Amino acid sequence: MTFRQFACNNVLRNKRTYAAFFLSSVFSVMIFFVYAMFIFHPAIADEAIHESVATGMMVAEYIIFLFAFFFLFYCVGAFLKKREKEFGILFVHGMTPMQRNWLVILENMLIGIVSIIFGIGLGLVLAKLFFQFAGFLLDVKALPFYLPWQAIGLTFVAFMVLYAAISIFTVLLLRKRSLLDLLQGSQRPKREPKASVFLSILAIGLLGTAYTLALTADGMYVAVLLFPVTFITIAGTYLLFTQLSVFLIGILKKKRSIYWNKTNLLTLSDLGYRMKDNARMFFLVCIVSTVAFCAIGTLAALAGSIQETVLKTNPFAFEYQTKQGNPEAAKHLSLIETSLQQGGFSFEKYQISMKVLPKTEKEESIGVVKLADYNKIAVAANAGQLQVADNEVFMLVRWFGDAIETKTLDVGNTTLMVKTDAKLNPLLGGLDFQRLAVVPNVVYDHLTGLKEETRYNYAVPRWKETQELSVKLQEQISHLNDEYYYTARAPIYREMKQMANTMLFIGLFVGVLFFVAAASFLYFRLYTDLENDKRQYGAISKIGLSDRELSRIVTTQIALLFFVPIVVAIVHSIVAFVSLQSFLKLIMITSVVKPTAIVLLSFVVVQGIYFWIIRNRYLFHLKRSM
């Protein structure tokens, strides 16, 4: 048997251990390849959406590649640690450290090449389905299949470089251990797991601080606190699994009523060691799952609320605003109305006038509108009406982070007390002013000698069908003009929908990749402990452990392994979504509850099915060995 054959046999004979690692690698390659196919697809190269789609896909490619490197590097390192006894036996039979290193490189490259071939092949098989799904989301024709030589070349080269880099780094980081340590392998006696009381309390403090900051942050402060809260949460989560979990198990073991109750003696005795050994894995699974939940949930919320957002930020299907004395206004208005009539679209027209006050001391241009006129437009746009007293004025917030600091406003010969709120109000804008104030009717009627602007709003029930008409009008009415501007809702809706769905399409598969990687961590960790569990439970069964008790103990331990990091990730995600909700209200998205619930429930169901399958297979192998 040659050295290459020996390396191949090592992989084939450990196929159960390598299964999750291999499948995750294939999935990573497949997603990378599919995104590369979109980047190079000739059918979307000339589309208006190509630039944004290609940019998003490229970002996703970098994320996948970087994540795959760290994921595969961790897995390879963990595999080698579990093979210490095997390497010890090989060293006894004359293997040199150089041959051990070459063996590791050959095994890694073998798995890598096969993963690349399977990943690209699976991507080609599912390409048409992906293209149809992407065409539906991006609102373009279903993309035809093509032979993606560029995508194949990019994927093959990228992952060959990745596996080669992982192999080199792994060899460089292999530690020199004594032959006795290698032969003992995982059977070396373990010290009783201990936890620091200070670090356990610190874990509670860090997570409590992060949750408090996230839940109490409002509006733009959510974005400001994003990175500090994320860092604190990651640190707290690490201490939660490495210290606090072991500390809590130690407390349970001191309570005889719990510890000495039936099979709890076995469960808790082993659980402390498992939590300590698996702490880093729990941490990785938790963080990766949190990222997947938040990414997919956020993008689903944004994609699902596009219409609601567009309706609130663009309350009318067509808007045309002009300064007083614009000679082209009549022509443009006639063009809009004639086009709607010829297209068979019914509409209602609303007209409102605004006046421009002289600039303030802060060089701000402020427009004013009559309360009655504003409320008439608000009713037509299904927005809230305003109420102001005779000595009050309502200042509208026009952009993110805008703050109305003025307490009073001089309108003509009258000084009015300023009222406002933090919500954006997109109903009215201006050509010659940056802020808009709603004043009492009497005050407005007494304003004379000021510049005026008039806005014409068109409510069209079938506005989604006006895409072509809107674009045509856009070409005929130049919007780059100081005297007037024209805007239509349908093109804005289409552009925002494409952008949101593009991000959802990209984030969905990246998020699923993260979740698959988390599942692979769990599978790998479980099956690397299988041989030890066979010996342990085989010995205990000889002194009276029944099949039912074995099933209960194993089910409890596997359930903790599967669901503890996922539950923590769900809690992290819920806190993040509550904080996100406060931020999204700024852009008129009222709720993320439904998409968030769907995403989290879907992941829990999938995890539950995965747990049930793995639990049954694990029990089968244990009972068969006994």
Side-chain angles (χ1 to χ4, degrees):
M1 182 171 61
T2 65
F3 198 78
R4 291 194 186 94
Q5 291 174 330
F6 181 65
C8 291
N9 288 334
N10 276 346
V11 175
L12 293 175
R13 290 167 182 169
N14 289 284
K15 54 182 177 293
R16 187 174 63 200
T17 303
Y18 281 109
F21 171 66
F22 173 73
L23 293 175
S24 299
S25 301
V26 170
F27 192 76
S28 301
V29 173
M30 183 193 73
I31 298 300
F32 186 95
F33 174 65
V34 168
Y35 284 171
M37 289 182 71
F38 277 98
I39 293 173
F40 296 111
H41 200 294
I44 66 171
D46 298 326
E47 290 281 343
I49 64 169
H50 176 259
E51 185 175 353
S52 61
V53 172
T55 301
M57 296 291 182
M58 285 300 297
V59 172
E61 296 282 58
Y62 287 121
I63 294 173
I64 294 169
F65 189 82
L66 187 63
F67 176 77
F69 175 82
F70 287 108
F71 166 69
L72 297 177
F73 185 70
Y74 172 85
C75 289
V76 170
F79 283 137
L80 293 179
K81 187 177 180 181
K82 286 295 178 182
R83 295 175 61 190
E84 288 179 346
K85 184 176 181 179
E86 176 186 337
F87 287 138
I89 295 174
L90 291 174
F91 282 139
V92 169
H93 286 79
M95 174 179 272
T96 66
M98 183 61 71
Q99 289 176 318
R100 187 270 312 271
N101 295 344
W102 180 234
L103 178 66
V104 170
I105 292 174
L106 283 177
E107 291 177 357
N108 288 346
M109 295 307 296
L110 173 63
I111 296 173
I113 291 172
V114 176
S115 298
I116 293 170
I117 294 172
F118 272 80
I120 292 176
L122 190 59
L124 288 171
V125 171
L126 299 176
K128 186 61 179 177
L129 182 62
F130 279 110
F131 286 157
Q132 289 180 334
F133 181 54
F136 168 74
L137 283 180
L138 303 179
D139 197 20
V140 296
K141 293 181 181 179
L143 301 175
F145 181 81
Y146 79 110
L147 197 58
W149 292 114
Q150 291 174 299
I152 292 175
L154 175 64
T155 305
F156 190 85
V157 171
F159 275 87
M160 281 298 293
V161 170
L162 184 145
Y163 278 101
I166 288 174
S167 300
I168 294 172
F169 274 106
T170 302
V171 168
L172 292 176
L173 294 176
L174 281 175
R175 292 182 299 171
K176 292 184 178 180
R177 305 184 69 93
S178 68
L179 185 59
L180 179 60
D181 287 339
L182 290 175
L183 290 173
Q184 286 180 333
S186 59
Q187 296 182 16
R188 288 191 297 270
K190 296 181 180 179
R191 296 179 180 179
E192 184 178 357
K194 295 181 179 180
S196 166
V197 177
F198 171 75
L199 293 179
S200 299
I201 296 174
L202 182 60
I204 298 174
L206 288 173
L207 290 177
T209 301
Y211 288 174
T212 302
L213 290 174
L215 294 174
T216 56
D218 188 39
M220 294 301 295
Y221 288 106
V222 174
V224 174
L225 293 172
L226 175 61
F227 289 106
V229 169
T230 301
F231 177 79
I232 295 172
T233 302
I234 291 175
T237 304
Y238 182 80
L239 293 178
L240 168 67
F241 289 118
T242 58
Q243 301 295 327
L244 182 59
S245 61
V246 178
F247 178 73
L248 293 177
I249 292 172
I251 292 176
L252 291 176
K253 290 170 70 173
K254 292 178 181 178
K255 294 184 177 294
R256 289 194 173 189
S257 58
I258 297 176
Y259 187 45
W260 288 19
N261 184 22
K262 299 181 179 178
T263 57
N264 287 352
L265 182 65
L266 294 175
T267 303
L268 291 176
S269 295
D270 195 42
L271 190 58
Y273 292 97
R274 287 181 182 268
M275 291 300 295
K276 194 70 174 180
D277 292 343
N278 299 330
R280 291 182 180 178
M281 186 271 294
F282 283 165
F283 167 71
L284 290 173
V285 171
C286 179
I287 297 302
V288 167
S289 300
T290 302
V291 172
F293 295 161
C294 291
I296 296 177
T298 301
L299 295 175
L302 291 174
S305 61
I306 289 300
Q307 180 169 326
E308 177 188 5
T309 303
V310 171
L311 287 174
K312 289 185 176 181
T313 54
N314 298 271
F316 293 96
F318 295 89
E319 298 174 2
Y320 181 86
Q321 187 159 329
T322 178
K323 294 181 181 180
Q324 190 176 25
N326 175 23
E328 296 187 271
K331 172 188 170 183
H332 291 158
L333 293 172
S334 175
L335 181 62
I336 294 172
E337 293 168 16
T338 302
S339 300
L340 287 170
Q341 290 170 352
Q342 291 177 349
F345 297 102
S346 60
F347 64 89
E348 290 188 31
K349 179 180 177 181
Y350 299 90
Q351 180 179 336
I352 187 170
S353 296
M354 295 163 282
K355 296 179 180 180
V356 184
L357 297 177
K359 287 188 177 181
T360 65
E361 295 178 358
K362 296 182 179 181
E363 294 297 318
E364 289 182 323
S365 296
I366 299 177
V368 293
V369 63
K370 185 189 295 187
L371 177 64
D373 290 346
Y374 175 86
N375 283 337
K376 182 173 66 174
I377 294 294
V379 171
N382 295 318
Q385 298 185 59
L386 298 178
Q387 292 182 349
V388 292
D390 292 340
N391 64 337
E392 293 178 335
V393 57
F394 196 96
M395 298 283 285
L396 302 180
V397 177
R398 298 293 305 156
W399 54 84
F400 296 123
D402 188 14
I404 308 296
E405 299 177 356
T406 306
K407 302 298 181 182
T408 61
L409 178 66
D410 292 329
V411 181
N413 297 322
T414 308
T415 300
L416 303 175
M417 303 299 295
V418 173
K419 293 174 58 179
T420 188
D421 64 16
K423 295 180 181 178
L424 296 181
N425 194 313
L427 280 180
L428 301 173
L431 294 166
D432 277 342
F433 57 85
Q434 291 81 43
R435 295 188 183 278
L436 182 66
V438 182
V439 300
N441 300 339
V442 176
V443 175
Y444 185 87
D445 291 338
H446 282 82
L447 292 175
T448 57
L450 300 176
K451 295 179 182 179
E452 288 193 29
E453 296 181 12
T454 306
R455 174 176 284 206
Y456 301 88
N457 300 314
Y458 295 87
V460 182
R462 292 160 47 210
W463 62 270
K464 287 185 180 180
E465 302 172 23
T466 63
Q467 170 66 23
E468 294 183 7
L469 185 150
S470 301
V471 174
K472 185 177 179 181
L473 286 173
Q474 186 75 63
E475 295 173 354
Q476 295 174 305
I477 305 175
S478 173
H479 61 287
L480 299 176
N481 195 296
D482 292 336
E483 296 296 317
Y484 62 85
Y485 83 84
Y486 155 84
T487 184
R489 182 196 288 160
I492 297 173
Y493 171 73
R494 187 172 188 268
E495 183 178 351
M496 289 183 65
K497 183 179 179 182
Q498 284 184 342
M499 187 179 299
N501 286 344
T502 298
M503 292 192 299
L504 178 61
F505 179 74
I506 295 169
L508 180 65
F509 292 106
V510 173
V512 171
L513 173 62
F514 283 13
F515 188 74
V516 169
S520 300
F521 283 135
L522 295 171
Y523 177 93
F524 161 71
R525 186 72 250 181
L526 192 63
Y527 273 90
T528 51
D529 290 336
L530 179 59
E531 294 304 320
N532 288 336
D533 287 347
K534 284 180 179 180
R535 289 191 294 270
Q536 176 183 334
Y537 291 119
I540 297 175
S541 65
K542 294 177 182 179
I543 58 175
L545 183 70
S546 65
D547 283 352
R548 185 175 180 181
E549 289 172 331
L550 173 65
S551 299
R552 186 190 308 139
I553 295 171
V554 171
T555 300
T556 302
Q557 291 179 340
I558 296 178
L560 291 172
L561 187 70
F562 270 69
F563 291 107
V564 165
I566 295 299
V567 169
V568 176
I570 289 176
V571 174
H572 287 350
S573 302
I574 290 174
V575 173
F577 283 128
V578 171
S579 183
L580 177 68
Q581 176 70 79
S582 174
F583 177 74
L584 292 181
K585 284 182 180 179
L586 292 176
I587 54 175
M588 307 287 180
I589 299 177
T590 57
S591 177
V592 297
V593 174
K594 184 177 179 180
T596 299
I598 292 174
V599 168
L600 294 181
L601 184 61
S602 300
F603 277 112
V604 169
V605 170
V606 172
Q607 186 77 351
I609 295 172
Y610 183 52
F611 159 73
W612 186 254
I613 294 172
I614 295 300
R615 175 256 185 199
N616 289 339
R617 293 296 302 167
Y618 200 76
L619 277 173
F620 170 76
H621 288 298
L622 279 180
K623 291 180 179 179
R624 187 175 64 175
S625 67
M626 295 163 56

